[in-house]
Amino acid sequence: ASCGLGLPDGIAAMVPATFCLAATLARTVVAPLSLRVLPSAMLQGSALLVLAGASVFQACAARIPSTPSALEVHVLLSALALMGAGCCPHYSFVPVAMAQHGELRTRDHAAYSTAVNVGVMSGLVLPGLVALPTIEVL
């Protein structure tokens, strides 16, 4: 964030912290909500949160100056918080949503776990190759 977005070091350090804090705090909402809402509906709602956060992040990151104002920093961090909260239920709810539509075989779960791990690995490698705002939208 300090190199790709040109943010000061203190603000750049808040980028991953904001994402992780939002994902952790979202679990306090997701857990009781999962008793009343179908996993597939929860995933659709969380995907919309991720899309909204990534869109705001892309728009804000494209216009951020070398010394951002407090408002620009808050908008950027809020977008990251939306993405973090939206990503919270994905890993655990996808297999449950898949199982609702039929039998979830071991092979299906293995394919899902492999895809998740390849996605995580790509997410760790791609920011070194492509600008961070572009990756977040993809």
Side-chain angles (χ1 to χ4, degrees):
S2 63
C3 294
L5 297 175
L7 296 173
D9 290 342
I11 295 171
M14 291 175 18
V15 168
T18 301
F19 182 90
C20 292
L21 179 65
T24 302
L25 291 176
R27 287 184 176 98
T28 63
V29 174
V30 168
L33 194 60
S34 67
L35 298 173
R36 294 179 177 82
V37 179
L38 289 173
S40 55
M42 186 89 69
L43 286 170
Q44 290 171 358
S46 67
L48 290 175
L49 280 178
V50 171
L51 178 64
S55 299
V56 171
F57 182 78
Q58 170 69 23
C60 184
R63 296 182 183 94
I64 201 159
S66 59
T67 54
S69 69
L71 177 64
E72 290 166 329
V73 170
H74 283 98
V75 169
L76 188 72
L77 294 177
S78 296
L80 287 162
L82 276 175
M83 288 190 287
C87 287
C88 166
H90 286 187
Y91 189 75
S92 58
F93 277 75
V94 168
V96 176
M98 288 168 52
Q100 283 182 322
H101 299 286
E103 182 182 344
L104 183 62
R105 299 173 304 187
T106 305
R107 179 175 286 174
D108 299 330
H109 194 273
Y112 168 71
S113 295
T114 301
V116 166
N117 290 315
V118 168
V120 169
M121 181 193 64
S122 300
L124 294 172
V125 171
L126 285 178
L129 305 173
V130 182
L132 183 63
T134 303
I135 292 172
E136 292 299 339
V137 171
L138 294 177

